[in-house]
């Protein structure tokens, strides 16, 4: 069947919304959809695109990723809350993903591990795991969306990153927070996302310690960002005004990576 004969397929809705989005965003003073900002979840609802079906996650993200960082920053409100889910909706087992296979997951020794804080923070120091585990605790059940075309609901526990940044005396007027990982991965995020109430420095997964495959000893969990923005095996956190880039963004993905 030709596209013109298809009355209102999801694909066409999605495409036309994104064409409108690009047009609206081309005019800087104008914001999308009657000045309403969206989460990726909101945009997917509007386009009738289900994020539970892997092929539609794929098609949808391909379309969204064609928007540039500036368009994404305008489209996705950094203060919006991502949806949360129930215990029964958790995907078990939760998928593993990295730029290497599961047999090459870095083995981090918890006893000798130290988290390094650097850059624009007054409390530049090393943190042991017991010190980090003693920080205030929060849990979230949220959806992780990967640009490779899958999404899954998981449960992460840890300390709210916003509080941690304040505790270490981070300059929260700085532009970026960067992450170095125990593998060769690195990432950076915008300060509004670092301060988002759902951004979690996660030590736990589904009621236990974060296993190696999901990022032991810690990952940054951001339900407002795509999967690749969520660094696992973090060894250093730095605050900076110099754009740090990231493993995937340096290979052509959007830096903003909103979801
Ligand atoms: N250190 C590190 N962090 C990483 C990656 C990686 O390869 N190394 N892959 C990213 C990508 S693309 C995804 S989808 C998620 C996968 O996390 P999971 O294994 O818990 O599903 O981790 C992200 N963080
Ligand atoms: Mo991913």
């Amino acid at each position: 069947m030709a596209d013109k004969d298809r009355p209102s397929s999801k694909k066409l809705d999605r495409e036309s919304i994104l064409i409108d989005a690009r047009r609206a965003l081309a005019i800087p003073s104008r914001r999308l959809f009657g000045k309403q900002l969206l989460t990726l979840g909101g945009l997917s609802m509007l386009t009738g695109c289900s994020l539970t079906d892997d092929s539609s996650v794929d098609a949808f993200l391909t379309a969204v990723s064609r928007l540039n960082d500036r368009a994404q920053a305008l489209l996705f409100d950094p203060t919006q809350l991502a949806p949360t889910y129930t215990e029964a909706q958790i995907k078990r087992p939760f998928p593993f993903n990295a730029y290497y296979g599961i047999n090459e997951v870095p083995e981090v020794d918890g006893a000798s591990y130290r988290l390094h804080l650097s850059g624009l923070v007054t409390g530049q120091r090393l943190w042991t795991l017991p010190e980090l585990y003693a920080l205030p605790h929060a849990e979230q059940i949220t959806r992780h969306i990967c640009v490779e075309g899958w999404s899954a609901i998981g449960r992460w526990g840890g300390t709210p990153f916003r509080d941690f940044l304040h505790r270490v005396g981070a300059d929260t007027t700085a532009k970026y927070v960067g992450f170095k990982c125990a593998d060769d991965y690195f990432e950076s995020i915008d300060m509004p996302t670092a301060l988002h109430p759902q951004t979690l420095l996660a030590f736990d997964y589904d009621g236990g310690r974060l296993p190696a495959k999901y990022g032991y000893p810690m990952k940054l969990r951001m339900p407002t960002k795509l999967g690749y923005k969520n660094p696992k095996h973090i060894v250093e956190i730095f605050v900076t005004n110099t754009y740090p880039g990231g493993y995937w963004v340096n290979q052509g993905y959007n830096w903003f990576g909103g979801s």
Side-chain angles (χ1 to χ4, degrees):
M1 184 166 74
D3 260 355
K4 65 175 169 53
D5 301 318
R6 219 182 295 244
S8 68
S9 79
K10 288 181 176 182
K11 186 171 184 295
L12 286 181
D13 288 346
R14 184 168 59 234
E15 277 305 311
S16 63
I17 290 275
L18 286 165
I19 287 164
D20 280 355
R22 286 188 206 105
R23 198 179 293 133
L25 290 163
I27 308 161
S29 62
R30 245 182 89 195
R31 284 200 166 165
L32 198 59
F33 310 127
K35 299 194 190 298
Q36 262 200 311
L37 288 166
L38 297 162
T39 61
L40 190 58
L43 187 61
S44 83
M45 252 181 262
L46 206 61
T47 57
C49 169
S50 155
L51 290 179
T52 50
D53 158 7
D54 282 357
S55 66
S56 70
V57 173
D58 209 17
F60 179 70
L61 288 174
T62 305
V64 170
S65 70
R66 285 192 212 116
L67 298 167
N68 63 26
D69 278 339
R70 204 184 130 266
Q72 289 207 20
L74 286 168
L75 195 56
F76 302 118
D77 180 350
T79 65
Q80 282 252 12
L81 289 184
T84 57
Y85 300 87
T86 66
E87 186 88 21
Q89 290 171 291
I90 296 173
K91 173 110 162 179
R92 295 191 175 97
F94 190 84
F96 158 81
N97 198 37
Y99 65 89
Y100 41 76
I102 197 156
N103 297 326
E104 292 158 71
V105 166
E107 282 172 39
V108 175
D109 170 37
S112 60
Y113 175 88
R114 300 289 181 272
L115 174 68
H116 189 189
L117 263 295
S118 65
L120 303 172
V121 296
T122 53
Q124 290 194 3
R125 55 165 279 200
L126 303 173
W127 287 76
T128 66
L129 286 178
E131 287 169 333
L132 291 163
Y133 293 158
L135 294 171
H137 187 84
E139 293 271 330
Q140 65 172 253
I141 302 176
T142 50
R143 184 186 294 281
H144 171 118
I145 305 169
C146 174
V147 281
E148 285 175 45
W150 57 271
S151 91
I153 293 165
R155 176 179 165 207
W156 291 270
T159 202
F161 194 52
R162 176 172 61 179
D163 300 346
F164 185 65
L165 285 177
H166 288 135
R167 190 179 292 266
V168 301
D171 175 0
T172 53
T173 68
K175 284 190 184 149
Y176 310 104
V177 181
F179 302 86
K180 292 178 191 166
C181 306
D183 49 11
D184 285 332
Y185 209 73
F186 58 105
E187 248 313 339
S188 61
I189 59 169
D190 52 293
M191 190 59 80
T193 300
L195 300 175
H196 187 281
Q198 288 172 309
T199 297
L200 202 63
L201 189 59
F203 315 118
D204 296 344
Y205 185 75
D206 203 9
R209 286 287 173 232
L210 198 65
K213 60 182 173 178
Y214 300 146
Y216 182 83
M218 80 196 63
K219 70 176 281 177
L220 195 74
R221 175 60 196 145
M222 294 172 284
T224 55
K225 291 286 187 196
L226 294 173
Y228 70 86
K229 294 296 292 180
N230 292 235
K232 305 195 287 187
H233 317 288
I234 299 168
V235 294
E236 181 172 347
I237 300 176
F238 59 99
V239 177
T240 179
N241 280 309
T242 309
Y243 173 70
Y247 186 90
W248 290 114
V249 72
N250 293 6
Q251 295 176 49
Y253 281 85
N254 291 119
W255 176 75
F256 194 80
S259 82

